[in-house]
């Protein structure tokens, strides 16, 4: 995880690409925190990264991530989508910029009991301040389980401080 920012900090996209391909060095830093605490806690893994896009996977199991009906909790699917969307948007952030989700809407299509889930997120509109994303989550049988849209606000200057 990045704790101090060197003047030679990598852009987020370069940092994550190096992390994925195994060439990230201990001295490499970026201005955002990777891996995030919540991703580590829940076991999310970045498996693909590009400009304004990300794919994150999770081994989901209702015994660990379940609700009272015995299926994987919808809140976990929302968190997975939010992580994929946030990772996608972070690839656009320059030093001194940050962001926050301002809207998240989920449509659940089918249940999950146990499956490797893939959350694919990409920008559908990239604005200077507000960007929109779509994230589709699918099971390892290829069937889509949820569709999540989000609006993300880029923060700059004083608004980005401490975020």
């Amino acid at each position: 995880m990045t704790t101090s920012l060197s003047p030679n900090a990598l852009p987020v996209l370069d940092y994550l690409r190096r992390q994925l391909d195994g060439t990230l060095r201990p001295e490499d830093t970026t201005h955002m925190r990777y891996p995030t605490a919540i991703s580590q806690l829940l076991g999310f893994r970045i498996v693909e990264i590009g400009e304004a896009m990300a794919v994150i996977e999770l081994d989901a199991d209702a015994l660990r991530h379940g609700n009272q009906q015995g299926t994987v909790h919808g809140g976990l699917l929302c968190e997975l989508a939010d992580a994929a969307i946030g990772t996608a948007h972070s690839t656009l952030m320059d030093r001194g910029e940050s962001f926050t989700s301002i809207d998240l809407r989920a449509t659940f299509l089918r249940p999950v009991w146990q499956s490797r889930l893939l959350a694919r997120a990409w920008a559908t509109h990239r604005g200077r301040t507000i960007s929109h994303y779509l994230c589709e989550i699918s099971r390892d049988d290829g069937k889509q389980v949820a569709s999540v849209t989000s609006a993300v606000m880029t923060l700059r200057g004083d608004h980005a401080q401490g975020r």
Side-chain angles (χ1 to χ4, degrees), residues 1-23:
M1 175 163 65
T2 299
T3 54
S4 63
L5 188 60
S6 87
N8 299 324
L10 296 169
V12 173
L13 183 55
D14 293 344
Y15 183 89
L16 293 176
R17 281 182 171 153
R18 287 183 186 186
Q19 188 179 64
L20 265 179
D21 69 18
T23 62

mmCIF file of all heavy atoms in Angstrom, residues 1-23:
data_model
loop_
_atom_site.group_PDB
_atom_site.id
_atom_site.type_symbol
_atom_site.label_atom_id
_atom_site.label_comp_id
_atom_site.label_asym_id
_atom_site.label_seq_id
_atom_site.Cartn_x
_atom_site.Cartn_y
_atom_site.Cartn_z
ATOM 1 N N MET A 1 0.845 -1.173 0.000
ATOM 2 C CA MET A 1 0.000 0.000 0.000
ATOM 3 C C MET A 1 0.887 1.232 0.000
ATOM 4 O O MET A 1 1.920 1.275 0.650
ATOM 5 C CB MET A 1 -0.914 -0.005 1.215
ATOM 6 C CG MET A 1 -1.726 1.252 1.303
ATOM 7 S SD MET A 1 -3.158 1.218 2.373
ATOM 8 C CE MET A 1 -2.451 1.020 3.959
ATOM 9 N N THR A 2 0.470 2.267 -0.685
ATOM 10 C CA THR A 2 1.195 3.515 -0.738
ATOM 11 C C THR A 2 0.998 4.264 0.572
ATOM 12 O O THR A 2 -0.122 4.494 1.003
ATOM 13 C CB THR A 2 0.673 4.361 -1.911
ATOM 14 O OG1 THR A 2 0.902 3.643 -3.098
ATOM 15 C CG2 THR A 2 1.370 5.699 -1.987
ATOM 16 N N THR A 3 2.110 4.658 1.216
ATOM 17 C CA THR A 3 2.003 5.426 2.456
ATOM 18 C C THR A 3 2.643 6.792 2.340
ATOM 19 O O THR A 3 2.257 7.711 3.014
ATOM 20 C CB THR A 3 2.635 4.665 3.626
ATOM 21 O OG1 THR A 3 3.973 4.318 3.273
ATOM 22 C CG2 THR A 3 1.851 3.409 3.945
ATOM 23 N N SER A 4 3.653 6.945 1.519
ATOM 24 C CA SER A 4 4.253 8.261 1.306
ATOM 25 C C SER A 4 4.411 8.472 -0.184
ATOM 26 O O SER A 4 4.642 7.531 -0.934
ATOM 27 C CB SER A 4 5.601 8.357 2.015
ATOM 28 O OG SER A 4 6.507 7.413 1.480
ATOM 29 N N LEU A 5 4.300 9.717 -0.589
ATOM 30 C CA LEU A 5 4.301 10.022 -2.009
ATOM 31 C C LEU A 5 5.637 10.605 -2.424
ATOM 32 O O LEU A 5 6.043 11.655 -1.947
ATOM 33 C CB LEU A 5 3.175 11.007 -2.324
ATOM 34 C CG LEU A 5 2.920 11.286 -3.789
ATOM 35 C CD1 LEU A 5 2.554 10.008 -4.528
ATOM 36 C CD2 LEU A 5 1.809 12.287 -3.943
ATOM 37 N N SER A 6 6.314 9.905 -3.304
ATOM 38 C CA SER A 6 7.579 10.424 -3.816
ATOM 39 C C SER A 6 7.300 11.336 -5.001
ATOM 40 O O SER A 6 6.246 11.234 -5.642
ATOM 41 C CB SER A 6 8.481 9.260 -4.240
ATOM 42 O OG SER A 6 8.219 8.872 -5.559
ATOM 43 N N PRO A 7 8.250 12.219 -5.299
ATOM 44 C CA PRO A 7 8.059 13.088 -6.464
ATOM 45 C C PRO A 7 7.998 12.293 -7.768
ATOM 46 O O PRO A 7 7.525 12.796 -8.778
ATOM 47 C CB PRO A 7 9.275 14.020 -6.441
ATOM 48 C CG PRO A 7 10.167 13.545 -5.362
ATOM 49 C CD PRO A 7 9.473 12.475 -4.584
ATOM 50 N N ASN A 8 8.455 11.048 -7.741
ATOM 51 C CA ASN A 8 8.445 10.190 -8.928
ATOM 52 C C ASN A 8 7.287 9.196 -8.902
ATOM 53 O O ASN A 8 7.368 8.143 -9.523
ATOM 54 C CB ASN A 8 9.777 9.436 -9.043
ATOM 55 C CG ASN A 8 10.941 10.394 -9.184
ATOM 56 O OD1 ASN A 8 10.833 11.429 -9.822
ATOM 57 N ND2 ASN A 8 12.049 10.045 -8.566
ATOM 58 N N ALA A 9 6.217 9.522 -8.168
ATOM 59 C CA ALA A 9 5.076 8.618 -8.065
ATOM 60 C C ALA A 9 4.523 8.307 -9.451
ATOM 61 O O ALA A 9 4.445 9.183 -10.316
ATOM 62 C CB ALA A 9 3.990 9.228 -7.186
ATOM 63 N N LEU A 10 4.137 7.065 -9.635
ATOM 64 C CA LEU A 10 3.587 6.612 -10.914
ATOM 65 C C LEU A 10 2.132 7.040 -11.061
ATOM 66 O O LEU A 10 1.396 7.098 -10.070
ATOM 67 C CB LEU A 10 3.640 5.085 -10.987
ATOM 68 C CG LEU A 10 5.004 4.428 -10.982
ATOM 69 C CD1 LEU A 10 4.853 2.926 -10.776
ATOM 70 C CD2 LEU A 10 5.745 4.723 -12.273
ATOM 71 N N PRO A 11 1.687 7.274 -12.284
ATOM 72 C CA PRO A 11 0.246 7.415 -12.510
ATOM 73 C C PRO A 11 -0.440 6.119 -12.076
ATOM 74 O O PRO A 11 0.144 5.029 -12.159
ATOM 75 C CB PRO A 11 0.132 7.613 -14.022
ATOM 76 C CG PRO A 11 1.487 8.091 -14.459
ATOM 77 C CD PRO A 11 2.457 7.439 -13.520
ATOM 78 N N VAL A 12 -1.667 6.218 -11.606
ATOM 79 C CA VAL A 12 -2.392 5.055 -11.085
ATOM 80 C C VAL A 12 -2.427 3.919 -12.099
ATOM 81 O O VAL A 12 -2.181 2.758 -11.753
ATOM 82 C CB VAL A 12 -3.819 5.442 -10.648
ATOM 83 C CG1 VAL A 12 -4.627 4.210 -10.275
ATOM 84 C CG2 VAL A 12 -3.773 6.426 -9.481
ATOM 85 N N LEU A 13 -2.727 4.214 -13.355
ATOM 86 C CA LEU A 13 -2.824 3.169 -14.371
ATOM 87 C C LEU A 13 -1.497 2.424 -14.511
ATOM 88 O O LEU A 13 -1.475 1.181 -14.555
ATOM 89 C CB LEU A 13 -3.269 3.741 -15.714
ATOM 90 C CG LEU A 13 -3.472 2.739 -16.845
ATOM 91 C CD1 LEU A 13 -4.446 1.626 -16.462
ATOM 92 C CD2 LEU A 13 -3.948 3.453 -18.100
ATOM 93 N N ASP A 14 -0.383 3.130 -14.553
ATOM 94 C CA ASP A 14 0.926 2.479 -14.647
ATOM 95 C C ASP A 14 1.213 1.634 -13.417
ATOM 96 O O ASP A 14 1.720 0.514 -13.517
ATOM 97 C CB ASP A 14 2.043 3.513 -14.823
ATOM 98 C CG ASP A 14 1.969 4.232 -16.156
ATOM 99 O OD1 ASP A 14 1.258 3.750 -17.069
ATOM 100 O OD2 ASP A 14 2.616 5.297 -16.283
ATOM 101 N N TYR A 15 0.890 2.157 -12.241
ATOM 102 C CA TYR A 15 1.095 1.437 -10.993
ATOM 103 C C TYR A 15 0.319 0.114 -10.997
ATOM 104 O O TYR A 15 0.862 -0.948 -10.697
ATOM 105 C CB TYR A 15 0.659 2.321 -9.817
ATOM 106 C CG TYR A 15 0.881 1.715 -8.459
ATOM 107 C CD1 TYR A 15 2.075 1.900 -7.782
ATOM 108 C CD2 TYR A 15 -0.119 0.966 -7.840
ATOM 109 C CE1 TYR A 15 2.279 1.346 -6.519
ATOM 110 C CE2 TYR A 15 0.073 0.409 -6.587
ATOM 111 C CZ TYR A 15 1.274 0.608 -5.935
ATOM 112 O OH TYR A 15 1.475 0.051 -4.694
ATOM 113 N N LEU A 16 -0.974 0.190 -11.356
ATOM 114 C CA LEU A 16 -1.809 -1.021 -11.352
ATOM 115 C C LEU A 16 -1.384 -2.005 -12.437
ATOM 116 O O LEU A 16 -1.446 -3.224 -12.224
ATOM 117 C CB LEU A 16 -3.276 -0.645 -11.485
ATOM 118 C CG LEU A 16 -3.859 0.103 -10.277
ATOM 119 C CD1 LEU A 16 -5.297 0.522 -10.560
ATOM 120 C CD2 LEU A 16 -3.758 -0.723 -9.009
ATOM 121 N N ARG A 17 -0.952 -1.509 -13.578
ATOM 122 C CA ARG A 17 -0.456 -2.417 -14.626
ATOM 123 C C ARG A 17 0.774 -3.162 -14.141
ATOM 124 O O ARG A 17 0.912 -4.371 -14.356
ATOM 125 C CB ARG A 17 -0.152 -1.648 -15.909
ATOM 126 C CG ARG A 17 -1.378 -1.321 -16.709
ATOM 127 C CD ARG A 17 -1.049 -0.600 -17.988
ATOM 128 N NE ARG A 17 -2.227 -0.485 -18.823
ATOM 129 C CZ ARG A 17 -2.415 0.479 -19.716
ATOM 130 N NH1 ARG A 17 -1.488 1.410 -19.905
ATOM 131 N NH2 ARG A 17 -3.517 0.522 -20.437
ATOM 132 N N ARG A 18 1.690 -2.450 -13.476
ATOM 133 C CA ARG A 18 2.884 -3.109 -12.930
ATOM 134 C C ARG A 18 2.505 -4.115 -11.842
ATOM 135 O O ARG A 18 3.092 -5.194 -11.764
ATOM 136 C CB ARG A 18 3.856 -2.078 -12.353
ATOM 137 C CG ARG A 18 4.572 -1.279 -13.405
ATOM 138 C CD ARG A 18 5.572 -0.335 -12.775
ATOM 139 N NE ARG A 18 6.159 0.538 -13.777
ATOM 140 C CZ ARG A 18 7.148 1.377 -13.540
ATOM 141 N NH1 ARG A 18 7.658 1.470 -12.323
ATOM 142 N NH2 ARG A 18 7.628 2.138 -14.501
ATOM 143 N N GLN A 19 1.529 -3.747 -11.027
ATOM 144 C CA GLN A 19 1.063 -4.660 -9.983
ATOM 145 C C GLN A 19 0.532 -5.953 -10.616
ATOM 146 O O GLN A 19 0.860 -7.052 -10.165
ATOM 147 C CB GLN A 19 -0.017 -3.974 -9.152
ATOM 148 C CG GLN A 19 -0.448 -4.727 -7.918
ATOM 149 C CD GLN A 19 -1.501 -3.950 -7.160
ATOM 150 O OE1 GLN A 19 -2.601 -3.735 -7.671
ATOM 151 N NE2 GLN A 19 -1.164 -3.519 -5.953
ATOM 152 N N LEU A 20 -0.251 -5.807 -11.678
ATOM 153 C CA LEU A 20 -0.834 -6.975 -12.356
ATOM 154 C C LEU A 20 0.198 -7.847 -13.046
ATOM 155 O O LEU A 20 0.102 -9.066 -13.011
ATOM 156 C CB LEU A 20 -1.857 -6.517 -13.396
ATOM 157 C CG LEU A 20 -3.292 -6.472 -12.976
ATOM 158 C CD1 LEU A 20 -4.171 -5.989 -14.110
ATOM 159 C CD2 LEU A 20 -3.777 -7.790 -12.454
ATOM 160 N N ASP A 21 1.168 -7.219 -13.701
ATOM 161 C CA ASP A 21 2.137 -8.026 -14.451
ATOM 162 C C ASP A 21 3.347 -8.441 -13.619
ATOM 163 O O ASP A 21 4.283 -9.061 -14.134
ATOM 164 C CB ASP A 21 2.548 -7.351 -15.766
ATOM 165 C CG ASP A 21 3.381 -6.083 -15.601
ATOM 166 O OD1 ASP A 21 3.959 -5.862 -14.519
ATOM 167 O OD2 ASP A 21 3.451 -5.310 -16.571
ATOM 168 N N GLY A 22 3.340 -8.114 -12.324
ATOM 169 C CA GLY A 22 4.398 -8.568 -11.431
ATOM 170 C C GLY A 22 5.690 -7.777 -11.508
ATOM 171 O O GLY A 22 6.712 -8.243 -11.006
ATOM 172 N N THR A 23 5.668 -6.575 -12.103
ATOM 173 C CA THR A 23 6.895 -5.782 -12.209
ATOM 174 C C THR A 23 6.922 -4.599 -11.239
ATOM 175 O O THR A 23 7.823 -3.768 -11.312
ATOM 176 C CB THR A 23 7.098 -5.261 -13.653
ATOM 177 O OG1 THR A 23 5.997 -4.406 -14.005
ATOM 178 C CG2 THR A 23 7.207 -6.419 -14.643
#
